[in-house]
Amino acid sequence: MQTQEIHPFLNFILDEQTGRVTISGQSATLRDIAFLSYALIQQGETQRVLPLLRLLSGKNQKDQRALTDAALALWVIGEYLKVTEDATSKVELEGFLEETTALLDANWQKPQPHWLIPDSEGIFLSHLAMYFAAIQANVQHGVGEQGVRLLKAIRELVFAKFIKEGRVISQLGDTAIHGDIVTAAMPFGMLGIEDRILIEALYKLEETLVDQGVRFKIGDLSYGGCERPDLTCFLAWYYAKKGDTVRAKELLAHVETLQAEQGVLYEMDTATANEPLLLAYAMERSGKPAVSSWSSVLLGLAQASLGSGAVRSDSLDSVRLLHLPTGYDDPYVILPYERFPREPEAGDVVSVRLLTQPFQANQVVTVQAVVDGIPAAETIQALMRVTDEGEKVWEAQLGPYLAGDEVSYTFALQNGEKSIHSATYGFRVRSWTALERVHALETTADGFVAELVCGADPLRTVSLAFRADASGAVQLTFAAAGERISGQPAQQAAVAAQR
């Protein structure tokens, strides 16, 4: 049996024989265990996380896991593997990674019970953000092409269906803003902290659902409609990461007061009920709301985030550097932290953008470029830009370069005397080459393949295949760099047909 304390108000016990976890004396759900694991990872207590991950991914939990529970388990496993690079555990957990990726792929577009309000079913933004985070955390750990396609599909649905009146909404088919909408950015990261469509939604959230704490939604009748400590902690966590310490402290002070007065945190603050008659009925029928050990976990995460920002403003321990050079390779979905152009050509000036989470105006971002193995004489200072969506990013200009140049680049972030570096990214500068003539023509069972010569070198060829399906539609396939498409020489095929 393990007993650990991760902050003064939160103790957990893992009974390794029964697999039961209790937090602050309360039996923990799979959701609670996932966030407990995340909190431990954030505190650097990774050696104590693995038993919890084994519990989350165990076969004995399979029948009990909701789709959101499976996504949370996949998410926190990915966060663990990113921090530890534990190859042994990756092998141990890869079956769960593959199985859960397939499960999400098959079910992510189906209505599910809400992860906070099980009686409410639908397709929710917070669910999509959770699925997105689960896959994104494991892009390097086994989700493969299936996972990458899923990331793209989720974002496409969000931008196609979840934006109304310039702000993101919480549920497909409704324009309402729910109290958990902030999770799309913090902690799940599908939207940026400074994303304009999220900020517009938060204006509405603050206007309609927030007093001292946060309610789930307008018209919520559970226990008469109460503020919830868990949602209040999420919003405080978001503001702490954003750097709005005043607002974060206001929200956290309210939750801390509740905990000090009651000794525990309940799922709902019944003192804030909108409808006293419904509250009285719920109390008579069901008693007090359940104790929320999960709220204690979220309180610890929000306090830690606020503390790291307030006490050590130059700390880079929790800063994320986000740069996806070619985004999701979707011509219609452009991320604010891509490279432009995605595939540079000779003579292009290349813009590279970096998103820092949390963003702080006093951060200093530079880019070191290397061309054909030779570092540039000077680093390039990145400037802060605000995208059309309101996201603040760092942008630097590279190039122009010559055709065939091999270019790599690395971002460096400095805050005070400390600095961190990104991964190294790269590209080969392209150029257009004329196809001089047809070198060979071959037939296939359903079409033909033309082999064409590039430029003056007869050994440099590309293939263009034409194939027709049963409907009469013609498919064109282009193969370069010597990737031949098998076919039969046209002249031989004609002779064979005559015989």
Side-chain angles (χ1 to χ4, degrees):
M1 184 176 293
Q2 293 184 16
T3 303
Q4 295 298 332
E5 181 175 315
I6 67 171
H7 73 85
F9 298 111
L10 178 60
N11 297 304
F12 79 89
I13 298 174
L14 167 61
D15 188 327
E16 295 179 342
Q17 291 185 338
T18 64
R20 184 170 180 264
V21 176
T22 56
I23 303 175
S24 299
Q26 300 296 315
S27 183
T29 66
L30 296 177
R31 177 200 63 192
D32 303 340
I33 297 169
F35 274 86
L36 169 63
S37 301
Y38 183 77
L40 291 168
I41 292 168
Q42 295 302 301
Q43 289 202 341
E45 302 284 346
T46 53
Q47 71 276 15
R48 299 190 177 102
V49 175
L50 193 54
L52 298 174
L53 300 186
R54 288 180 177 136
L55 179 62
L56 288 171
S57 61
K59 294 185 183 299
N60 59 330
Q61 303 288 352
K62 187 173 182 179
D63 295 336
Q64 304 176 42
R65 279 193 296 258
L67 189 66
T68 50
D69 288 334
L72 287 172
L74 185 63
W75 164 64
V76 77
I77 286 171
E79 294 294 327
Y80 170 82
L81 293 176
K82 282 196 297 186
V83 170
T84 64
E85 299 182 352
D86 185 348
T88 302
S89 297
K90 179 179 177 181
V91 172
E92 177 185 345
L93 297 167
E94 65 183 359
F96 177 79
L97 299 182
E98 294 174 1
E99 179 182 308
T100 307
T101 300
L103 182 69
L104 292 176
D105 195 24
N107 294 282
W108 72 277
Q109 295 188 76
K110 299 176 182 177
Q112 303 289 334
H114 194 281
W115 66 308
L116 304 183
I117 314 291
D119 293 339
S120 180
E121 188 174 86
I123 298 177
F124 301 100
L125 182 75
S126 61
H127 287 191
L128 298 179
M130 191 187 305
Y131 306 154
F132 184 91
I135 297 299
Q136 188 176 57
N138 289 281
V139 167
Q140 304 300 324
H141 306 138
V143 298
E145 293 184 5
Q146 183 181 35
V148 173
R149 290 196 301 270
L150 181 53
L151 289 176
K152 174 184 173 184
I154 290 172
R155 285 192 65 90
E156 287 178 345
L157 179 64
V158 169
F159 283 99
K161 297 291 186 178
F162 280 80
I163 300 176
K164 304 292 183 184
E165 300 177 358
R167 57 176 173 255
V168 70
I169 58 173
S170 293
Q171 182 176 358
L172 185 65
D174 196 349
T175 59
I177 305 298
H178 296 168
D180 67 337
I181 198 167
V182 70
T183 61
M186 194 68 228
F188 297 136
M190 182 178 69
L191 300 178
I193 289 176
E194 298 285 353
D195 199 313
R196 175 54 56 184
I197 57 174
L198 178 62
I199 291 174
E200 291 294 332
L202 290 181
Y203 289 152
K204 193 68 174 179
L205 174 74
E206 290 273 13
E207 176 187 339
T208 58
L209 297 177
V210 182
D211 187 9
Q212 289 183 295
V214 182
R215 288 181 167 84
F216 177 66
K217 66 177 181 180
I218 297 174
D220 179 18
L221 299 180
S222 180
Y223 280 87
C226 302
E227 296 173 0
R228 297 178 55 118
D230 49 8
L231 297 179
T232 307
C233 289
F234 269 124
L235 188 59
W237 190 5
Y238 165 83
Y239 282 126
K241 280 293 184 182
K242 190 178 180 183
D244 188 346
T245 58
V246 172
R247 186 67 180 122
K249 286 178 180 179
E250 290 174 349
L251 293 164
L252 283 181
H254 175 61
V255 180
E256 290 164 350
T257 299
L258 288 176
Q259 188 171 60
E261 292 176 348
Q262 302 169 350
V264 294
L265 290 173
Y266 293 96
E267 287 185 351
M268 301 174 192
D269 178 11
T270 55
T272 63
N274 282 326
E275 298 295 342
L277 289 176
L278 294 176
L279 171 62
Y281 174 72
M283 294 285 280
E284 179 182 343
R285 183 185 60 181
S286 306
K288 287 184 177 181
V291 173
S292 177
S293 56
W294 184 48
S295 293
S296 297
V297 177
L298 295 176
L299 177 59
L301 283 163
Q303 288 171 328
S305 182
L306 181 62
S308 64
V311 177
R312 299 191 304 162
S313 62
D314 65 337
S315 173
L316 299 178
D317 296 341
S318 61
V319 177
R320 299 176 65 198
L321 306 182
L322 300 180
H323 177 65
L324 285 180
T326 61
Y328 298 118
D329 293 306
D330 187 321
Y332 305 107
V333 179
I334 309 298
L335 300 181
Y337 43 92
E338 289 189 12
R339 176 174 69 220
F340 181 82
R342 290 172 172 174
E343 301 295 347
E345 298 176 12
D348 284 341
V349 174
V350 184
S351 297
V352 291
R353 285 182 167 183
L354 179 77
L355 178 65
T356 57
Q357 292 184 337
F359 172 88
Q360 292 182 351
N362 63 342
Q363 293 168 338
V364 177
V365 175
T366 57
V367 181
Q368 175 66 61
V370 177
V371 183
D372 293 331
I374 302 174
E378 297 180 353
T379 59
I380 301 168
Q381 180 88 34
L383 302 177
M384 191 273 285
R385 303 292 188 198
V386 180
T387 68
D388 293 340
E389 296 77 25
E391 190 83 76
K392 293 179 182 177
V393 296
W394 300 100
E395 181 181 84
Q397 306 289 328
L398 309 180
Y401 301 107
L402 301 175
D405 281 350
E406 295 283 353
V407 180
S408 64
Y409 57 95
T410 306
F411 296 93
L413 169 62
Q414 186 166 347
N415 198 355
E417 297 180 355
K418 296 187 177 181
S419 63
I420 56 175
H421 293 78
S422 72
T424 299
Y425 307 94
F427 57 88
R428 183 175 182 180
V429 181
R430 299 180 173 187
S431 64
W432 287 95
T433 301
L435 299 176
E436 297 291 341
R437 64 184 184 280
V438 176
H439 177 68
L441 188 65
E442 301 176 345
T443 61
T444 62
D446 52 1
F448 66 92
V449 179
E451 188 174 273
L452 304 107
V453 175
C454 296
D457 186 352
L459 298 179
R460 293 182 61 202
T461 62
V462 297
S463 298
L464 186 61
F466 297 80
R467 290 191 170 94
D469 60 23
S471 69
V474 178
Q475 178 188 50
L476 275 68
T477 305
F478 185 81
E483 297 176 357
R484 296 284 302 277
I485 302 175
S486 60
Q488 185 180 17
Q491 186 175 7
Q492 294 180 11
V495 172
Q498 290 175 359
R499 291 179 182 173

